[in-house]
Amino acid sequence: MKNYTKIKDISNLSETIKDAILLKMNPFEFQDLGKHKTLVMLFFNSSLRTRLSTEKAAKNLGMEVMMLNINDAWNLEFEDGTIMNMDKSEHIKEAAQVISQYADVIAVRAFPTLEDKAKDESEYILNNFKKYATVPIINMESATAHPLQALADAITITELTEKAKPKVVLSWAPHPKALPQAVANSFIEMMQELEVDLTITHPKGYELSKEITKNTPINHNQEDALKDADFVYVKNWSSYNDYGKVLNQDDNWMLTKAKLGHAKFMHCLPVRRNVIVEDAVLDSEQSVVIKQANNRTYAAQVVLKQILEGL
Amino acid sequence: MKNYTKIKDISNLSETIKDAILLKMNPFEFQDLGKHKTLVMLFFNSSLRTRLSTEKAAKNLGMEVMMLNINDAWNLEFEDGTIMNMDKSEHIKEAAQVISQYADVIAVRAFPTLEDKAKDESEYILNNFKKYATVPIINMESATAHPLQALADAITITELTEKAKPKVVLSWAPHPKALPQAVANSFIEMMQELEVDLTITHPKGYELSKEITKNTPINHNQEDALKDADFVYVKNWSSYNDYGKVLNQDDNWMLTKAKLGHAKFMHCLPVRRNVIVEDAVLDSEQSVVIKQANNRTYAAQVVLKQILEGL
Amino acid sequence: MKNYTKIKDISNLSETIKDAILLKMNPFEFQDLGKHKTLVMLFFNSSLRTRLSTEKAAKNLGMEVMMLNINDAWNLEFEDGTIMNMDKSEHIKEAAQVISQYADVIAVRAFPTLEDKAKDESEYILNNFKKYATVPIINMESATAHPLQALADAITITELTEKAKPKVVLSWAPHPKALPQAVANSFIEMMQELEVDLTITHPKGYELSKEITKNTPINHNQEDALKDADFVYVKNWSSYNDYGKVLNQDDNWMLTKAKLGHAKFMHCLPVRRNVIVEDAVLDSEQSVVIKQANNRTYAAQVVLKQILEGL
C-alpha cells in the first residue's frame, strides 16, 4: 500500500480485514516493523478516537509518533501562484516536503468547509499533501472521506455477522449542526466492496453524491428500509445538493429500540444521545459502537503495517 | 491498587512511601513492568508539574503515554438521559469506554466549577470516568482532591523530618483569584494518616468540609498556630461554606520568614511570590518546594507501579 | 557543550558540522546515548520545523521527549521581587528548577515582543531559564537568536559549496508583518565563523545591531550585492533601530530568478511566496530550502549529542 486516502487504496480487502483481526489478537507481533520509523500526525481539526487509535496503532508497530496541531504552527496556503501577503505564512509545497523529511508516514485530518462544495470536493488539503509529500499519506478524515473509520466498520461487521450476506442499512438521523458527508461516503463505498445487502435511507434532500451511491438502493421511508436489517449504521450528514445545509431536524428520524428490531447498532462516534439515537439503543447489548471504536486501532494498524511493508 | 482517586486507595501508606523513595534512587528498576502498557492522560485543565511528572513516571516504568487535551476533542456530556442537542458532542459513557480500549490506565485532570457546590462535590467528571471506564483511573487533581500531590507531600515530609512526630501546620494564605480546596483537602487527609501533629490555620469563613477536617485542630490565629512548627504548608483556597468566594485578601496572612521560624516551607506550586509567601522564604534553604515537586514523579511512579502490578 | 543558546557555545565548529553530516548518514548510530534521558521542549510560540526536527533528533538519540505548550500551563513571571497578584501564576525561578527535575535537557522557544527593545535584548526568558534551570538549555529561537537554524544553514553550505570560499549574501526582503531579527543575527554570526565571503544587503533603516554585523560589508544596492553570489539567503526582519517597525514594503526587494543568477537560494522557512521570493526561485533546482530544513534534524542532533556527552 502506497497511501491510504480512500477505500480503493486497499488492494485485497478480505485479506486486509483478516490481517486486522489477527493484529487484534496479537497487537505486538510486528513491533519491530516500525523500528526507526516515524509517523507524523497532523491535525487541522478536533479528534479523539482517530488521534488515540492511530497513535496506539503506530506504537504497537514500534513506530515513533510526532503530533502537530496545525494551529501550533502556521496557516498554510494551498493555492498556486498567490502573493502570500495575507494570513498564510507557509505554502503546502514547502510544508509537505519539509514534514516528509521528518516522517516516514504522514497522517492528516482536515474537515470540509461545508460552504464551498467545489473546494471540498477537490480535497485540496489531502491532495496537496499527496502531491507534495515524498512519503505515504494516511487520511484521518478528509473533506469527503473517512476510510480508516470505514475499515474499522468493515472489520466490525465481518467479526459480528451471523450471515453470509447480512442486510446493512445506513440511516440518516437528525443533528443540530451541519456535519460532513465523509463517514457516510466511506461507509457506502466500503459496503459496496463487502458481501452485504446495503440500503440507504434518508429524508428527501439528503441525497449523497451519485458517484458514491451508484446503484445502492435509497429508500426515503426509514421504517421500510430498516425491516429485517442485521446492521443499522446511523449517521447524520448535511445536505450534499443544497451544500452544507441543515434542511431537516425531524426527530422522527432518530433511531429507537423499536425501529432497530433485532439488528446491531453501529455509529462512528461521537454520538449525540437522544438526538441521533435513543439511550435504550446505546445502552443495549445490540449496540456495537464500543467494539467499532476498538477496531479503529486495528484498522489503523493494518494500514500502517501494509504501508511499512511497502517502504 | 485498582484506582488512585483518593488517599484511601492506598492500602499500605508507609510501605508505599518507602517504595517511592526506592524508586527515586533507582527510577528505571521496573522499566519492564510497563512494557506494552499505555497511559492515556486527559486534561480538562492546565497543568505543568502534574503533566510532566506523571508522563515521566510512566516512561520510567516503560509505559507508552498518550496525551489528550479535551479541547482538542469534543465537549463531553455527563448528565444521564439528556437530549444532546446543544454544545456537547459526546457522552462520557461512550468516551470513557472508548478510551479504555486504547489505554491500560487513564489519568484525568478536571478542576471544580467553584460555582455549583453539589456538582463539584459529586466529582461528576472523575466519578463518571470511574463508573464507565474499564481500566484503572488516576486522579491528576479533581474538584475536591489532589491525591498525587498529597502523596508527594507525604514522601517529602518522610524524607526530611528530623522528628518521629513533627508538627505540621497547614496555613491558608491570600490569593487574588478563587482557587479549589482540592490540595488542602488531600493534604489534610494524608497528614491524618501519617505520624504527625497537624494543625490547620485560616481566617474565619475559610473552614473546609468537616468530613475532611474531622478532629484536626483549627486555629484562627496564624501566629499561634505556627509556633514550633516543623513543616509549614501554605495554600490558598476559596471559601467552602460561602462556596467558591474570595472573602479575604488580608496580606497579613502571607507567610513571612519571621513567621516561619525554624520550620521547613512547603507549597504545591505554582506559587505567587509576595502574595502567598515572601521571596525571603522561597529563596531560603528552608523552602523545600522544589524537592516536593521532584517527588511528584515518584508519587506518580509508585502509584502506576502498584496499579500495573494489579492488572 | 554545556548549553546551546548562541553560536559561540560551539567550541569546534568545523568538527561539529562534520559530525552532523555523519549523523545524517547514520542517524541511529548513537541511539543508546540518550537512553533514560529526557528532553523537555517548551513552547511560548508557534513552531513547525523546530518542533518536529528537534523531537526527531532527540528520538534518534534514544531520548524521551516531553512537550509543553506554555499556554497549557501557567503564565510565568520573570521579574524579581514583584507582588504576583495579577495574571502571572508562577515565577520562572520555580518553573525552571522544577522542570529541570523532570528533564536532562530543556529546549525553549520564546520570540521577542518587538515592542520593548531592552527587554528583548536582555533575552529575559532564555536567560532566566539558563539562570535557574539546573540542566542544559537549548535555544529553539529566542528574542535575538536562532542558533539551531544557523547551524543547519552552516551544514547546508558546507555540504553544497563548490568553492573553498563561496560568496554568501544575506538579503532582506519585504514582508507584511513585523518579524524578529533572530534568524538574520544568528546567520551572520555563523557565517563570520565559516570560510565564506559574506555580504549583507538591505534598505536603509534596516541596519541590524552593530554588535552582530561588526565588519561585515553592508550594501544598500541589492543588485550590486548579489553579483556573483554562490548562496543567497533571503530573510525579512523588522527594523532594529526603529525597533520592531515595518518601514518598507518595496516589492523590488523580493528575490527573483533573474537576480539570483547562478546562486543557490536559502531561506529558513516558513516563506511567503511571491512576497519574499518568487515562485520561479522556490520551484527551481537552485532552491535548497528543503535540504536546509532537513538539516535542522542533524543540527539539533549534533547539539543534543554533544550535550549528552557532556552530562
Side-chain angles (χ1 to χ4, degrees), chain A residues 36 38 64-68 72-74 81-86 88-91 93-94 97-99 101-102, chain C residues 28 31 46-49 51-53 55-56 59 69 176 269-275 279 283 290 293-294 297:
Chain A
H36 293 165
T38 299
E64 296 290 352
V65 179
M66 307 202 297
M67 295 274 183
L68 188 68
D72 286 340
W74 322 107
T82 48
I83 298 173
M84 289 172 57
N85 59 1
M86 302 297 286
K88 312 290 177 57
S89 301
E90 177 148 25
H91 199 283
K93 287 190 191 179
E94 277 71 55
Q97 288 182 79
V98 166
I99 297 169
Q101 297 179 117
Y102 310 142
Chain C
F28 304 109
Q31 62 180 302
S46 291
S47 179
L48 188 153
R49 268 154 291 279
R51 184 181 190 116
L52 294 175
S53 63
E55 180 178 2
K56 178 150 180 121
K59 289 178 169 175
N69 291 344
L269 306 182
V271 66
R272 285 168 178 255
R273 287 177 165 249
N274 306 311
V275 175
D279 280 342
D283 297 335
I290 306 301
N294 190 30
T297 301

Short mmCIF file of all heavy atoms in Angstrom, two decimals, chain A residues 36 38 64-68 72-74 81-86 88-91 93-94 97-99 101-102, chain C residues 28 31 46-49 51-53 55-56 59 69 176 269-275 279 283 290 293-294 297:
data_model
loop_
_atom_site.label_atom_id
_atom_site.label_comp_id
_atom_site.label_asym_id
_atom_site.label_seq_id
_atom_site.Cartn_x
_atom_site.Cartn_y
_atom_site.Cartn_z
N HIS A 36 12.58 2.64 14.15
CA HIS A 36 13.26 3.75 13.46
C HIS A 36 12.39 4.39 12.38
O HIS A 36 12.91 5.08 11.50
CB HIS A 36 14.59 3.30 12.86
CG HIS A 36 15.61 2.93 13.90
ND1 HIS A 36 16.74 2.25 13.62
CD2 HIS A 36 15.64 3.19 15.22
CE1 HIS A 36 17.44 2.07 14.73
NE2 HIS A 36 16.79 2.64 15.72
N THR A 38 8.97 6.86 11.70
CA THR A 38 8.21 7.90 12.40
C THR A 38 6.91 8.22 11.68
O THR A 38 6.91 8.46 10.47
CB THR A 38 9.06 9.19 12.51
OG1 THR A 38 10.25 8.89 13.25
CG2 THR A 38 8.30 10.30 13.20
N GLU A 64 7.83 5.54 16.12
CA GLU A 64 7.78 6.79 16.86
C GLU A 64 6.62 7.61 16.31
O GLU A 64 6.34 7.57 15.11
CB GLU A 64 9.08 7.59 16.67
CG GLU A 64 10.32 6.93 17.22
CD GLU A 64 10.37 6.88 18.73
OE1 GLU A 64 9.52 7.49 19.39
OE2 GLU A 64 11.28 6.22 19.26
N VAL A 65 5.99 8.38 17.17
CA VAL A 65 4.86 9.22 16.73
C VAL A 65 5.14 10.67 17.12
O VAL A 65 5.53 10.95 18.25
CB VAL A 65 3.54 8.76 17.38
CG1 VAL A 65 2.39 9.65 16.94
CG2 VAL A 65 3.25 7.30 17.03
N MET A 66 4.98 11.58 16.16
CA MET A 66 5.08 13.01 16.46
C MET A 66 3.77 13.65 16.04
O MET A 66 3.25 13.40 14.95
CB MET A 66 6.25 13.64 15.71
CG MET A 66 7.59 12.90 15.95
SD MET A 66 9.11 13.88 15.65
CE MET A 66 8.96 14.24 13.89
N MET A 67 3.22 14.46 16.94
CA MET A 67 1.91 15.08 16.75
C MET A 67 2.10 16.56 16.46
O MET A 67 2.94 17.21 17.09
CB MET A 67 1.16 15.07 18.08
CG MET A 67 0.81 13.71 18.58
SD MET A 67 -0.75 13.21 17.84
CE MET A 67 -0.95 11.64 18.68
N LEU A 68 1.28 17.09 15.56
CA LEU A 68 1.26 18.53 15.38
C LEU A 68 -0.16 19.01 15.12
O LEU A 68 -0.79 18.61 14.14
CB LEU A 68 2.17 18.93 14.20
CG LEU A 68 2.40 20.43 14.03
CD1 LEU A 68 3.21 21.02 15.17
CD2 LEU A 68 3.10 20.72 12.71
N ASP A 72 -0.75 25.04 16.19
CA ASP A 72 0.51 25.27 16.92
C ASP A 72 1.62 25.70 15.97
O ASP A 72 2.74 26.00 16.40
CB ASP A 72 0.97 24.01 17.66
CG ASP A 72 0.14 23.73 18.90
OD1 ASP A 72 -0.52 24.65 19.40
OD2 ASP A 72 0.16 22.57 19.36
N ALA A 73 1.32 25.70 14.66
CA ALA A 73 2.34 26.09 13.68
C ALA A 73 1.80 27.29 12.89
O ALA A 73 1.48 28.31 13.50
CB ALA A 73 2.67 24.91 12.78
N TRP A 74 1.73 27.16 11.57
CA TRP A 74 1.39 28.31 10.72
C TRP A 74 0.17 28.00 9.87
O TRP A 74 -0.07 26.86 9.49
CB TRP A 74 2.55 28.63 9.77
CG TRP A 74 3.88 28.46 10.39
CD1 TRP A 74 4.78 27.46 10.14
CD2 TRP A 74 4.48 29.29 11.40
NE1 TRP A 74 5.90 27.63 10.94
CE2 TRP A 74 5.73 28.73 11.71
CE3 TRP A 74 4.07 30.44 12.07
CZ2 TRP A 74 6.59 29.29 12.67
CZ3 TRP A 74 4.91 31.00 13.02
CH2 TRP A 74 6.15 30.43 13.30
N GLY A 81 0.53 30.13 -7.01
CA GLY A 81 0.79 31.42 -7.65
C GLY A 81 0.30 32.63 -6.89
O GLY A 81 0.43 33.75 -7.38
N THR A 82 -0.24 32.44 -5.71
CA THR A 82 -0.72 33.60 -4.94
C THR A 82 0.44 34.42 -4.39
O THR A 82 1.53 33.91 -4.17
CB THR A 82 -1.58 33.16 -3.73
OG1 THR A 82 -0.86 32.14 -3.05
CG2 THR A 82 -2.93 32.66 -4.15
N ILE A 83 0.14 35.68 -4.19
CA ILE A 83 1.06 36.56 -3.48
C ILE A 83 0.70 36.43 -2.00
O ILE A 83 -0.36 36.86 -1.58
CB ILE A 83 0.88 38.01 -3.97
CG1 ILE A 83 1.24 38.08 -5.46
CG2 ILE A 83 1.73 38.97 -3.14
CD1 ILE A 83 0.95 39.44 -6.09
N MET A 84 1.55 35.80 -1.24
CA MET A 84 1.19 35.44 0.13
C MET A 84 1.41 36.59 1.11
O MET A 84 2.24 36.52 2.01
CB MET A 84 1.99 34.20 0.54
CG MET A 84 1.54 32.92 -0.18
SD MET A 84 2.63 31.50 0.12
CE MET A 84 2.58 31.41 1.92
N ASN A 85 0.62 37.62 0.93
CA ASN A 85 0.79 38.80 1.80
C ASN A 85 -0.36 38.95 2.79
O ASN A 85 -0.56 40.02 3.35
CB ASN A 85 0.98 40.07 0.96
CG ASN A 85 -0.21 40.30 0.06
OD1 ASN A 85 -1.15 39.53 0.07
ND2 ASN A 85 -0.15 41.37 -0.72
N MET A 86 -1.12 37.87 3.00
CA MET A 86 -2.24 37.95 3.95
C MET A 86 -1.94 37.11 5.20
O MET A 86 -0.91 37.30 5.80
CB MET A 86 -3.53 37.51 3.25
CG MET A 86 -3.86 38.32 2.01
SD MET A 86 -4.16 40.09 2.39
CE MET A 86 -5.80 39.95 3.13
N LYS A 88 -1.63 33.75 5.50
CA LYS A 88 -0.99 32.44 5.33
C LYS A 88 0.53 32.61 5.32
O LYS A 88 1.05 33.35 4.49
CB LYS A 88 -1.42 31.81 4.00
CG LYS A 88 -2.92 31.83 3.72
CD LYS A 88 -3.68 30.90 4.64
CE LYS A 88 -5.18 30.97 4.42
NZ LYS A 88 -5.60 30.69 3.06
N SER A 89 1.21 31.92 6.21
CA SER A 89 2.65 32.10 6.36
C SER A 89 3.47 31.08 5.58
O SER A 89 4.66 31.29 5.37
CB SER A 89 3.07 31.99 7.82
OG SER A 89 2.41 32.95 8.58
N GLU A 90 2.85 29.96 5.24
CA GLU A 90 3.66 28.90 4.62
C GLU A 90 2.83 28.20 3.56
O GLU A 90 1.64 27.96 3.73
CB GLU A 90 4.10 27.90 5.69
CG GLU A 90 4.88 26.73 5.12
CD GLU A 90 5.94 26.18 6.06
OE1 GLU A 90 5.83 26.33 7.27
OE2 GLU A 90 6.91 25.58 5.55
N HIS A 91 3.48 27.84 2.48
CA HIS A 91 2.78 27.14 1.39
C HIS A 91 2.86 25.63 1.61
O HIS A 91 3.86 25.13 2.11
CB HIS A 91 3.40 27.51 0.04
CG HIS A 91 2.51 27.24 -1.12
ND1 HIS A 91 2.32 25.98 -1.64
CD2 HIS A 91 1.70 28.07 -1.85
CE1 HIS A 91 1.45 26.05 -2.64
NE2 HIS A 91 1.06 27.30 -2.80
N LYS A 93 3.44 23.47 -0.46
CA LYS A 93 4.58 22.88 -1.18
C LYS A 93 5.77 22.69 -0.25
O LYS A 93 6.41 21.63 -0.25
CB LYS A 93 5.02 23.80 -2.34
CG LYS A 93 4.09 23.80 -3.53
CD LYS A 93 4.75 24.56 -4.71
CE LYS A 93 3.74 24.81 -5.80
NZ LYS A 93 4.34 25.56 -6.94
N GLU A 94 6.09 23.75 0.49
CA GLU A 94 7.20 23.63 1.44
C GLU A 94 6.82 22.72 2.61
O GLU A 94 7.56 21.82 2.99
CB GLU A 94 7.64 25.00 1.98
CG GLU A 94 8.57 25.77 1.08
CD GLU A 94 7.90 26.30 -0.18
OE1 GLU A 94 6.88 27.01 -0.08
OE2 GLU A 94 8.41 26.01 -1.28
N GLN A 97 6.81 18.96 1.81
CA GLN A 97 8.16 18.43 1.55
C GLN A 97 9.00 18.39 2.82
O GLN A 97 9.77 17.46 3.04
CB GLN A 97 8.87 19.31 0.51
CG GLN A 97 8.33 19.16 -0.90
CD GLN A 97 9.13 20.03 -1.86
OE1 GLN A 97 10.22 19.66 -2.27
NE2 GLN A 97 8.59 21.19 -2.21
N VAL A 98 8.86 19.44 3.62
CA VAL A 98 9.66 19.51 4.85
C VAL A 98 9.25 18.42 5.83
O VAL A 98 10.09 17.68 6.36
CB VAL A 98 9.51 20.90 5.50
CG1 VAL A 98 10.05 20.89 6.93
CG2 VAL A 98 10.25 21.95 4.66
N ILE A 99 7.94 18.30 6.07
CA ILE A 99 7.47 17.30 7.05
C ILE A 99 7.84 15.90 6.57
O ILE A 99 8.16 15.02 7.38
CB ILE A 99 5.96 17.45 7.29
CG1 ILE A 99 5.67 18.83 7.92
CG2 ILE A 99 5.44 16.36 8.22
CD1 ILE A 99 4.19 19.20 7.98
N GLN A 101 10.47 14.95 5.40
CA GLN A 101 11.85 14.63 5.78
C GLN A 101 11.96 14.23 7.25
O GLN A 101 12.97 13.68 7.67
CB GLN A 101 12.75 15.84 5.50
CG GLN A 101 12.78 16.15 4.02
CD GLN A 101 13.64 17.34 3.73
OE1 GLN A 101 14.65 17.21 3.04
NE2 GLN A 101 13.29 18.49 4.24
N TYR A 102 10.92 14.58 8.04
CA TYR A 102 10.92 14.19 9.46
C TYR A 102 10.07 12.95 9.68
O TYR A 102 9.98 12.45 10.81
CB TYR A 102 10.39 15.33 10.33
CG TYR A 102 11.04 16.69 10.09
CD1 TYR A 102 10.29 17.86 10.12
CD2 TYR A 102 12.40 16.79 9.84
CE1 TYR A 102 10.88 19.11 9.91
CE2 TYR A 102 13.00 18.03 9.62
CZ TYR A 102 12.23 19.18 9.65
OH TYR A 102 12.81 20.40 9.45
N PHE C 28 20.95 6.68 13.57
CA PHE C 28 20.68 5.90 14.77
C PHE C 28 21.95 5.36 15.42
O PHE C 28 21.90 4.57 16.35
CB PHE C 28 19.71 4.75 14.44
CG PHE C 28 18.44 5.27 13.83
CD1 PHE C 28 18.15 5.08 12.49
CD2 PHE C 28 17.54 5.99 14.62
CE1 PHE C 28 16.98 5.57 11.93
CE2 PHE C 28 16.36 6.50 14.07
CZ PHE C 28 16.09 6.30 12.72
N GLN C 31 22.04 5.74 19.22
CA GLN C 31 20.71 5.60 19.81
C GLN C 31 20.74 5.16 21.27
O GLN C 31 19.71 5.18 21.94
CB GLN C 31 19.86 4.65 18.97
CG GLN C 31 20.40 3.24 18.90
CD GLN C 31 19.52 2.35 18.06
OE1 GLN C 31 18.34 2.19 18.32
NE2 GLN C 31 20.11 1.77 17.02
N SER C 46 4.59 29.52 18.33
CA SER C 46 4.35 28.56 17.26
C SER C 46 5.64 27.93 16.75
O SER C 46 6.69 28.58 16.75
CB SER C 46 3.69 29.28 16.08
OG SER C 46 2.39 29.66 16.42
N SER C 47 5.51 26.72 16.23
CA SER C 47 6.67 26.04 15.68
C SER C 47 6.22 24.90 14.79
O SER C 47 5.25 24.21 15.12
CB SER C 47 7.53 25.50 16.82
OG SER C 47 8.65 24.83 16.30
N LEU C 48 6.89 24.70 13.71
CA LEU C 48 6.67 23.51 12.88
C LEU C 48 7.99 22.77 12.72
O LEU C 48 8.20 21.73 13.32
CB LEU C 48 6.07 23.90 11.51
CG LEU C 48 5.62 22.74 10.61
CD1 LEU C 48 4.51 23.17 9.67
CD2 LEU C 48 6.76 22.15 9.81
N ARG C 49 8.93 23.34 11.95
CA ARG C 49 10.22 22.69 11.71
C ARG C 49 10.99 22.44 12.99
O ARG C 49 11.54 21.36 13.22
CB ARG C 49 11.11 23.58 10.82
CG ARG C 49 11.01 23.33 9.35
CD ARG C 49 11.38 24.57 8.59
NE ARG C 49 10.33 25.55 8.82
CZ ARG C 49 9.17 25.55 8.17
NH1 ARG C 49 8.93 24.70 7.24
NH2 ARG C 49 8.24 26.43 8.47
N ARG C 51 10.01 22.27 16.05
CA ARG C 51 9.37 21.30 16.91
C ARG C 51 9.62 19.87 16.41
O ARG C 51 10.09 19.02 17.16
CB ARG C 51 7.86 21.60 16.93
CG ARG C 51 7.06 20.72 17.85
CD ARG C 51 5.57 21.10 17.76
NE ARG C 51 4.83 20.44 18.81
CZ ARG C 51 4.20 21.06 19.80
NH1 ARG C 51 4.17 22.38 19.85
NH2 ARG C 51 3.56 20.38 20.74
N LEU C 52 9.31 19.65 15.15
CA LEU C 52 9.41 18.28 14.63
C LEU C 52 10.86 17.83 14.51
O LEU C 52 11.19 16.69 14.83
CB LEU C 52 8.70 18.18 13.27
CG LEU C 52 7.17 18.38 13.28
CD1 LEU C 52 6.63 18.36 11.86
CD2 LEU C 52 6.46 17.32 14.13
N SER C 53 11.73 18.72 14.05
CA SER C 53 13.13 18.28 13.83
C SER C 53 13.84 18.05 15.15
O SER C 53 14.66 17.13 15.26
CB SER C 53 13.89 19.32 12.98
OG SER C 53 13.98 20.56 13.64
N GLU C 55 12.39 17.21 18.06
CA GLU C 55 11.82 15.98 18.63
C GLU C 55 12.44 14.76 17.95
O GLU C 55 12.84 13.80 18.61
CB GLU C 55 10.30 15.96 18.47
CG GLU C 55 9.67 14.70 19.06
CD GLU C 55 8.15 14.67 18.97
OE1 GLU C 55 7.53 15.62 18.42
OE2 GLU C 55 7.57 13.68 19.48
N LYS C 56 12.52 14.85 16.64
CA LYS C 56 13.07 13.70 15.88
C LYS C 56 14.54 13.47 16.24
O LYS C 56 14.97 12.32 16.44
CB LYS C 56 12.93 13.97 14.39
CG LYS C 56 13.52 12.86 13.56
CD LYS C 56 12.83 12.70 12.24
CE LYS C 56 13.47 11.57 11.48
NZ LYS C 56 12.53 10.53 11.17
N LYS C 59 14.81 11.72 19.55
CA LYS C 59 14.41 10.31 19.47
C LYS C 59 15.44 9.49 18.71
O LYS C 59 15.67 8.32 19.05
CB LYS C 59 13.02 10.20 18.85
CG LYS C 59 11.94 10.71 19.81
CD LYS C 59 10.54 10.66 19.20
CE LYS C 59 9.49 10.92 20.28
NZ LYS C 59 8.12 10.99 19.69
N ASN C 69 3.35 23.11 25.65
CA ASN C 69 2.99 24.45 25.21
C ASN C 69 2.69 25.25 26.47
O ASN C 69 1.85 24.82 27.27
CB ASN C 69 1.75 24.42 24.31
CG ASN C 69 2.01 23.76 22.98
OD1 ASN C 69 3.17 23.56 22.58
ND2 ASN C 69 0.95 23.40 22.29
N PRO C 176 4.68 41.50 5.08
CA PRO C 176 3.62 42.37 5.59
C PRO C 176 3.63 42.58 7.10
O PRO C 176 3.08 43.57 7.59
CB PRO C 176 2.33 41.64 5.16
CG PRO C 176 2.73 40.23 4.90
CD PRO C 176 4.16 40.28 4.45
N LEU C 269 12.46 29.21 6.19
CA LEU C 269 11.05 28.78 6.19
C LEU C 269 10.41 29.07 7.57
O LEU C 269 11.12 29.06 8.55
CB LEU C 269 10.89 27.31 5.81
CG LEU C 269 11.54 26.87 4.49
CD1 LEU C 269 11.24 25.39 4.24
CD2 LEU C 269 11.06 27.69 3.31
N PRO C 270 9.11 29.34 7.63
CA PRO C 270 8.18 29.41 6.52
C PRO C 270 8.47 30.63 5.64
O PRO C 270 8.91 31.66 6.16
CB PRO C 270 6.82 29.57 7.21
CG PRO C 270 7.12 30.26 8.49
CD PRO C 270 8.47 29.71 8.90
N VAL C 271 8.20 30.49 4.36
CA VAL C 271 8.47 31.60 3.43
C VAL C 271 7.19 31.98 2.69
O VAL C 271 6.43 31.11 2.27
CB VAL C 271 9.58 31.22 2.43
CG1 VAL C 271 9.16 30.10 1.49
CG2 VAL C 271 10.03 32.45 1.64
N ARG C 272 6.95 33.27 2.58
CA ARG C 272 5.78 33.74 1.83
C ARG C 272 6.16 33.87 0.36
O ARG C 272 6.97 34.73 0.01
CB ARG C 272 5.30 35.08 2.41
CG ARG C 272 4.58 34.90 3.74
CD ARG C 272 4.38 36.22 4.43
NE ARG C 272 3.65 36.02 5.67
CZ ARG C 272 2.37 36.34 5.84
NH1 ARG C 272 1.67 36.88 4.85
NH2 ARG C 272 1.78 36.13 7.01
N ARG C 273 5.55 33.02 -0.45
CA ARG C 273 5.83 33.00 -1.89
C ARG C 273 5.35 34.29 -2.54
O ARG C 273 4.30 34.83 -2.22
CB ARG C 273 5.14 31.80 -2.54
CG ARG C 273 5.84 30.48 -2.19
CD ARG C 273 5.09 29.30 -2.78
NE ARG C 273 5.96 28.12 -2.75
CZ ARG C 273 6.46 27.53 -3.84
NH1 ARG C 273 6.17 28.00 -5.04
NH2 ARG C 273 7.27 26.49 -3.71
N ASN C 274 6.15 34.78 -3.47
CA ASN C 274 5.82 35.97 -4.26
C ASN C 274 5.72 37.23 -3.41
O ASN C 274 5.16 38.22 -3.83
CB ASN C 274 4.57 35.73 -5.10
CG ASN C 274 4.73 34.49 -5.97
OD1 ASN C 274 5.75 34.35 -6.64
ND2 ASN C 274 3.76 33.59 -5.93
N VAL C 275 6.27 37.15 -2.20
CA VAL C 275 6.43 38.33 -1.33
C VAL C 275 7.93 38.43 -1.00
O VAL C 275 8.58 39.40 -1.32
CB VAL C 275 5.58 38.22 -0.05
CG1 VAL C 275 5.86 39.39 0.87
CG2 VAL C 275 4.09 38.13 -0.42
N ASP C 279 7.93 32.44 -7.05
CA ASP C 279 7.76 31.00 -7.28
C ASP C 279 8.90 30.41 -8.10
O ASP C 279 9.39 29.31 -7.80
CB ASP C 279 6.45 30.75 -8.05
CG ASP C 279 5.21 30.78 -7.16
OD1 ASP C 279 5.36 30.67 -5.94
OD2 ASP C 279 4.10 30.93 -7.71
N ASP C 283 10.69 27.04 -6.91
CA ASP C 283 10.39 25.83 -7.68
C ASP C 283 11.55 25.39 -8.58
O ASP C 283 11.40 24.44 -9.34
CB ASP C 283 9.11 26.04 -8.50
CG ASP C 283 7.90 26.27 -7.59
OD1 ASP C 283 7.94 25.80 -6.44
OD2 ASP C 283 6.94 26.92 -8.02
N ILE C 290 14.54 23.03 1.10
CA ILE C 290 14.06 21.75 1.65
C ILE C 290 15.24 20.99 2.28
O ILE C 290 15.10 20.41 3.37
CB ILE C 290 13.36 20.90 0.54
CG1 ILE C 290 12.23 21.72 -0.14
CG2 ILE C 290 12.85 19.59 1.09
CD1 ILE C 290 11.14 22.20 0.78
N ALA C 293 15.96 22.56 5.60
CA ALA C 293 15.01 22.13 6.64
C ALA C 293 15.35 20.72 7.11
O ALA C 293 15.21 20.39 8.30
CB ALA C 293 13.58 22.18 6.10
N ASN C 294 15.79 19.87 6.19
CA ASN C 294 16.20 18.53 6.59
C ASN C 294 17.39 18.59 7.55
O ASN C 294 17.47 17.84 8.52
CB ASN C 294 16.58 17.71 5.35
CG ASN C 294 16.77 16.23 5.67
OD1 ASN C 294 16.14 15.71 6.58
ND2 ASN C 294 17.62 15.56 4.91
N THR C 297 17.22 18.66 11.54
CA THR C 297 17.27 17.47 12.38
C THR C 297 18.71 17.20 12.85
O THR C 297 18.95 16.94 14.04
CB THR C 297 16.75 16.23 11.61
OG1 THR C 297 15.41 16.48 11.20
CG2 THR C 297 16.82 14.97 12.46
#
